[in-house]
């Protein structure tokens, strides 16, 4: 199973994960395949690291390839967590709008 397709975005993802987390995509594969809390936390940590580095330019290719490596249960849990983050952020903007 291939974790991430070749491409410029993938090379940038690999470089940033290695620089920021000391983690290669090859090392990430078995963690994601196992699923569970450790995999879910590592996935979110990678997304956060990539987002801080370059926003959606790095997160998009990572999610596109890595999300489906996770078992179904972990994908479901992560999706729920991500929706919660979005809802909390939106709720915060509604309650405290900047004028």
């Amino acid at each position: 199973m291939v974790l991430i397709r070749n491409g410029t975005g993938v090379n940038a993802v690999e470089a940033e994960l290695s620089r920021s987390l000391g983690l290669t995509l090859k090392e990430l594969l078995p963690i994601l395949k196992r699923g569970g809390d450790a995999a879910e936390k590592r996935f979110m940590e990678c997304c956060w690291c990539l987002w801080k580095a370059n926003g959606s330019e790095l997160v998009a290719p990572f999610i596109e390839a890595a999300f489906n490596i996770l078992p179904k249960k972990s994908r479901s849990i992560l999706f729920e967590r991500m929706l919660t983050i979005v809802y909390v952020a939106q709720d915060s903007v509604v309650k405290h709008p900047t004028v």
Side-chain angles (χ1 to χ4, degrees):
M1 181 180 308
V2 174
L3 176 61
I4 305 253
R5 296 179 300 208
N6 293 330
T8 306
V10 174
N11 294 337
V13 166
E14 178 80 41
E16 185 58 36
L17 290 178
S18 180
R19 185 186 71 72
S20 296
L21 301 176
L23 182 68
T24 67
L25 295 173
K26 187 175 182 178
E27 294 168 332
L28 185 59
L29 178 62
I31 296 168
L32 295 180
K33 286 173 68 174
R34 278 192 299 270
D37 196 48
E40 295 153 15
K41 284 180 181 180
R42 184 56 94 167
F43 183 87
M44 292 296 287
E45 179 182 29
C46 290
C47 287
W48 178 241
C49 164
L50 295 168
W51 180 261
K52 289 189 309 185
N54 199 10
S56 64
E57 294 295 319
L58 292 178
V59 175
F62 175 74
I63 289 177
E64 181 181 328
F67 191 75
N68 287 326
I69 299 296
L70 292 156
K72 184 178 180 180
K73 176 84 173 156
S74 288
R75 291 191 312 262
S76 176
I77 289 168
L78 280 171
F79 186 72
E80 290 173 16
R81 288 178 184 170
M82 287 184 234
L83 281 177
T84 300
I85 291 166
V86 168
Y87 292 148
V88 168
Q90 287 177 343
D91 192 45
S92 176
V93 169
V94 169
K95 288 180 181 175
H96 307 288
T98 56
V99 181

